[in-house]
Every structure is written in C-alpha cells, then in structure tokens.
Amino acid sequence: MTQTRALSTTPSTEPGSEWWRTSVIYQIYPRSFADANGDGIGDLQGITSRLEQLATMDIDAIWLSPFFTSPQKDGGYDVSNYVDVDPLFGSLADYDAMVARAHELGLRVIIDLVPNHCSDQHPWFQEALNSPAGSPERDRFIFRDADEGTLPNNWESVFGGPMWTRTANEDGTPGQVYLHIFDATQPDFNWHNEEVRAMFRDVLRFWLDRGTDGFRVDVAHGMIKAEGLPDFTPDPKGASMGGTEELAPWWGQDGVHEIYRDWRTVMDEYEGQRVLCAEAWVNPLDLMAKWVREDEMHQAFNFPYLSTGWDASALREVINESMAAFGAVGAPSTWVLSNHDVVRHASRLALTDDNPQGEGIGPLTPNHPDPVIGLRRARAASTLMLALPGGAYLYQGEELGLPEAMELPDEARQDPTWFRTNHERYGRDGCRVPLPWEADAPAYGFNTTGESWLPQPEQWAGYARSLQENDADSTLHLYQELLRLRREHALGSGDVQWLASNDEKLLTLQNGSVIIVMNFCADPVRLPPELAKLPRLVSSALQVSESSVEGETALWLDATRS
C-alpha cells in the first residue's frame, strides 16, 4: 500500500515550518516520463498513472517541464498559449485530474513557466509581424532597425548563430530584426512593457486557481537586457547559460528583481505556501542569492554545486559557499545533480577534466565515460547531496542510475542546438530519452505500443524500475532509503559541521544525528576508529566493509549510538 502524507492547505505560522525549506522535488520531463495513449510522447494521463510509484520515494513535490500549447520546436519551451495544455500532453481536465491525484498522495505540483520568450506562433508575435515598426504590437518584443547586412550588436544565441533574426516588410524588402536569446522561433519579450507584465500576472493566477503549488521559472536571470544592448563577447570556456562576475548584458540585470517582487505579491495572495524557484545561471553564489531575498523567490537552483566535479576540496568549498550565501538572505540552499539540460550525473561525473561538467549542450567527447565508474560516483554523490540541509531536486531516472544516452542516431536528434551548430554540438537529447519502467514490455513500459519519440538504448532494460523494485542493492532502493532516512533524521532542517580527518581522500561532515563520510579515491579507505564503531544507516557501496569506506562511495553513520 502506498503511504501518503497530509497536504497543507493553509500557510503555517510556525517559524521554520515552510515545506519548501527542506523539500525534495522530483522533476518530470512530461514527454519522456510515461505515455498513456501510445503515440510515443509522454502525457499528463501517463504521469497520473505513475504517481503512486513516485509517492513511495518520500518526495514532497513534482515539478513538470512545459506542457503548454507549443509548436514543440524546443521541447515545449516555445510557448504559444500559456493558459492551455498542448494536445500532445492532454487537456486541462487531464491536468486537473493529475493535480487532484498528486494532492491525494501528499505531493505538491510545481510547473515550469517560460517568461523570457514565447513561440513565434504566439498570437502576440504574429500580430507584431503584421504590424509596422514602432507599433504597440512590436513593443511587446525587442525589435530594432538594422541596415541590411548588419545587426544591432554581436550577441550570439545560446543555441548557436546570431541572437537576431530579420523580418520582411509587406513589399518583400528587409525589415526590422528581433532578439532571441535562444532559437529564432523563440522571440524575447520586452519586459519594460506593462502589457507583458500584466499578461504574466494573469498567467500566474490562472494556474494558481487550478491548485498549482508553484512555478519553476525558466531563464529567471534573463528578461531584462542591459541598456543600449552593448556588444559583448563571452568567455568561450564559460557556460552559455550564464556567467561569472562579468555578466553578459542579457543575463542577471538588476531589473529582473523588480519583476519577481511583483510576482511574490501574487503568490502571497494564495493559501498553501505557493512557491517560486529560479533557474538563474549566475555566479558567484552570493549574486545568485539575490533571487531568493525575503520578498522575491523562495528557491534558486544551485548550479555551481551541479557543476562541481569529482573533487573533495571543491565540493567542500561550494557547500560552504552555498550555506553562507543563501543563509545570508534567510533562504535555504538547494542541491541538484541532474536535470533536462545537462549530461546525467551518472555519466558526467566519470568524464575527464577536459570534458563538459555542466550544461549538456556542448560537444560531447567520443571517449565515452566508464558506466561502472559513473554509476558508482553517481550513487555516492546522491548520498552526499541528500544528507545536506535545505532543498534537493531530483531528475527523473536518476533514481534508476540512468546514464546519458550518447549513442543516439543523428537522424533521431531533435534539440535545436544540433541544427543551429551544423551538427557540431549534440545538444540535450541524451538526458531526455524516455524512461524504462518495465524490462520486458514494449518501450520498456513507457507505453504499450513500443513507440518512443527518442530511441531508447538496448541497455535500458537493465535499468528498468520493475527490476530495481525487487533488488535490495538497486539504485532505486538506495534512493528510497536515503529519502526515508533524510526525513526521519530531519536532515533538511539541519546544519553542516565538518569533522577533522587524517585522510584527505575522505570528506567527513555531520548533520544532526548523522555523520556522512565520502571517499573520493578508487581504493577503500579505513574509517577512523571512532567512526568505525558507529552503526551504519546506509551506504552507496554495493559491497560494504565493516571497517572501511569502499572506493568512490559514501555512507551515513548514526552518531547517536556510539
């Protein structure tokens, strides 16, 4: 029988009781989660059918990537109608049924919101194309005059190529150009326009009225561009979705915070602790923390943590920085290892130092990561992450230990990065392949027809949930145990204390009643005598030693029973 928890319907007034401060939120990429109608694309009814299985993981909420009406040029992040469900995924009635079932199971529902840009098929943009320069319709977007053969600046799109696309006048002559941080089919809104701001307030209320518990805000560091749109050449070694102290003029401008203060007033109109979470790719962490000041958002994704490689000192440093930066504004830190935009951490952590550690939209090495090393490190990294105080985000399939699907045929790839870079950058398809639920079923249980919008690797059968549910050593069982113990020991509301260690290969810390030890080298390392006598709560290792920490593993010890 599935265990459920009561869902709060009114905000708690008890200090520190806000659910989002200690939350574990599970990301669902709808088109790849579960397909109820058998067309090869996941849908809302498919999600509803699998919610009971998610509830066994002791998570607090699910977060859905976009399912709004869209031409699907960028996996739904090109929205043409913000207040309806794309028929690919079902209907508003299907959404309402999914929310109702999630709430019955004690799960909250967070959905993606994409405010930086829309689809070029959005009615507003179509009106803009059919209106003259300087019109109110064009003022909803960022249009500029530019002589033929020139552009307003040198900005490069995240997906490759110029950040500007030219329109044509009614007589066929070259017209104005418009700005798009991403694909040409995703024009950026002009957030200095009050019509745009009013429209999104209405969008927030539409979904909140349907019982939605919050929003993950896509590209929350975009929306406002630097005055004058000055030329800027980013560091080629930097991440394309963000920057360091020297932010690109299209990222992290101060004006975005005014927008979120406005949104927070809308969220606070509703009971039930509705939340906002920022996808803000900005460094350093004390800059990212601006997004979660008391009157703005509740959470922000911790991308510096995600981007940190397999390195004990680097991890310790980013954990300290995270706790300090977010704590300084009274917000919880969040922790995340994988999502729909990055190489899955079961592969990423096994890549060598000269290969991408962060975003999954760069070129991937032909020297594939070792899957055994990758899974071992991934299990250890998750064991550490889920012991840290604050909020944690999981990406669908990581609880199965899924690696990046790197062997996709070229003709199957769909990420716009692949096309805009002339097939030089693989894009994000490898982390978006549909999930394996049942080892012996068509499409591994993704549906009953065997159709799949991206091809599933043959080895997916070995990762199927049906196999892992009956295997006490499986990654699924590890996650279930970690999440159960995390709640039982209240680790989300704890604090980090570093413990001295004579071995630099070990990272040792304590959170409340739990001591966490992580071994970063490939060989076993003996535990200090004072730790060896403590009972073990859980270990990421498949073969557990009583006196050592196995190579590239992490374990939790019960500090209350010495």
Side-chain angles (χ1 to χ4, degrees), residues 36-78:
N37 65 11
D39 65 355
I41 297 175
D43 46 47
L44 295 177
Q45 288 187 11
I47 294 171
T48 304
S49 72
R50 297 289 188 179
L51 285 177
E52 275 198 56
Q53 287 166 287
L54 291 189
T56 66
M57 293 178 60
D58 214 11
I59 58 176
D60 297 287
I62 58 173
W63 150 39
L64 276 63
S65 293
F67 52 83
F68 311 116
T69 308
S70 166
Q72 302 296 321
K73 296 293 181 67
D74 183 25
Y77 284 89
D78 50 323

Side-chain angles (χ1 to χ4, degrees), residues 355-409:
N355 288 317
Q357 291 285 350
E359 295 167 272
I361 59 176
L364 293 180
T365 172
N367 300 316
H368 291 183
D370 185 311
V372 175
I373 294 175
L375 180 59
R376 189 167 63 230
R377 290 181 174 183
R379 287 167 59 102
S382 298
T383 300
L384 171 65
M385 182 185 80
L386 291 173
L388 298 175
Y393 278 79
L394 309 178
Y395 178 51
Q396 64 177 43
E398 72 170 79
E399 77 278 13
L400 306 177
L402 288 184
E404 187 83 357
M406 294 186 173
E407 298 293 348
L408 296 176

Side-chain angles (χ1 to χ4, degrees), residues 277-354:
C277 180
E279 183 210 28
W281 289 82
V282 291
N283 285 323
L285 278 158
D286 58 2
L287 177 59
M288 182 185 298
K290 289 184 176 181
W291 271 256
V292 288
R293 289 174 289 193
E294 185 178 1
D295 59 347
E296 296 189 41
M297 294 190 164
H298 301 79
Q299 291 184 336
F301 284 132
N302 191 337
F303 291 115
Y305 182 80
L306 179 152
S307 301
T308 302
W310 186 255
D311 182 281
S313 61
L315 268 176
R316 177 169 177 158
E317 181 178 352
V318 76
I319 290 170
N320 284 337
E321 288 180 2
S322 300
M323 302 284 288
F326 288 105
V329 294
S333 181
T334 61
W335 315 100
V336 60
L337 289 168
S338 284
N339 65 35
H340 65 292
D341 281 333
V342 303
V343 176
R344 285 186 176 273
H345 69 281
S347 294
R348 190 179 73 249
L349 292 176
L351 293 170
T352 57
D353 291 341
D354 58 352

Side-chain angles (χ1 to χ4, degrees), residues 149-413:
T150 66
L151 295 173
N153 56 36
N154 68 341
W155 295 3
E156 288 287 318
S157 161
V158 168
F159 290 159
M163 206 181 283
W164 298 91
T165 291
R166 190 171 296 279
T167 62
N169 297 319
E170 287 188 9
D171 60 4
T173 58
Q176 287 187 305
V177 295
Y178 65 88
L179 181 72
H180 50 88
I181 288 180
F182 296 93
D183 191 64
T185 63
Q186 296 167 287
D188 280 32
F189 283 112
N190 171 19
W191 271 90
H192 295 289
N193 184 297
E194 180 52 37
E195 276 191 279
V196 172
R197 298 189 179 217
M199 187 265 280
F200 274 94
R201 285 193 289 269
D202 291 342
V203 170
L204 292 174
R205 292 191 174 99
F206 178 87
W207 294 106
L208 291 168
D209 288 341
R210 304 191 88 89
T212 304
D213 297 290
F215 303 90
R216 174 267 191 188
V217 182
D218 184 66
V219 195
H221 57 314
M223 299 150 77
I224 299 294
K225 282 67 177 177
E227 186 175 354
L229 309 180
D231 279 356
F232 181 82
T233 303
D235 182 348
K237 296 182 180 179
S240 60
M241 279 290 288
T244 58
E245 293 88 344
E246 187 184 7
L247 286 171
W250 56 89
W251 294 140
Q253 304 301 305
D254 284 342
V256 298
H257 300 289
E258 177 188 340
I259 297 168
Y260 300 131
R261 292 188 188 98
D262 181 37
W263 287 13
R264 182 63 178 264
T265 63
V266 174
M267 304 296 290
D268 289 346
E269 295 171 5
Y270 289 79
E271 295 184 339
Q273 300 178 21
R274 316 295 178 96
V275 300
L276 291 168
C277 180
E279 183 210 28
W281 289 82
V282 291
N283 285 323
L285 278 158
D286 58 2
L287 177 59
M288 182 185 298
K290 289 184 176 181
W291 271 256
V292 288
R293 289 174 289 193
E294 185 178 1
D295 59 347
E296 296 189 41
M297 294 190 164
H298 301 79
Q299 291 184 336
F301 284 132
N302 191 337
F303 291 115
Y305 182 80
L306 179 152
S307 301
T308 302
W310 186 255
D311 182 281
S313 61
L315 268 176
R316 177 169 177 158
E317 181 178 352
V318 76
I319 290 170
N320 284 337
E321 288 180 2
S322 300
M323 302 284 288
F326 288 105
V329 294
S333 181
T334 61
W335 315 100
V336 60
L337 289 168
S338 284
N339 65 35
H340 65 292
D341 281 333
V342 303
V343 176
R344 285 186 176 273
H345 69 281
S347 294
R348 190 179 73 249
L349 292 176
L351 293 170
T352 57
D353 291 341
D354 58 352
N355 288 317
Q357 291 285 350
E359 295 167 272
I361 59 176
L364 293 180
T365 172
N367 300 316
H368 291 183
D370 185 311
V372 175
I373 294 175
L375 180 59
R376 189 167 63 230
R377 290 181 174 183
R379 287 167 59 102
S382 298
T383 300
L384 171 65
M385 182 185 80
L386 291 173
L388 298 175
Y393 278 79
L394 309 178
Y395 178 51
Q396 64 177 43
E398 72 170 79
E399 77 278 13
L400 306 177
L402 288 184
E404 187 83 357
M406 294 186 173
E407 298 293 348
L408 296 176
D410 289 354
E411 62 272 16
R413 295 189 179 277

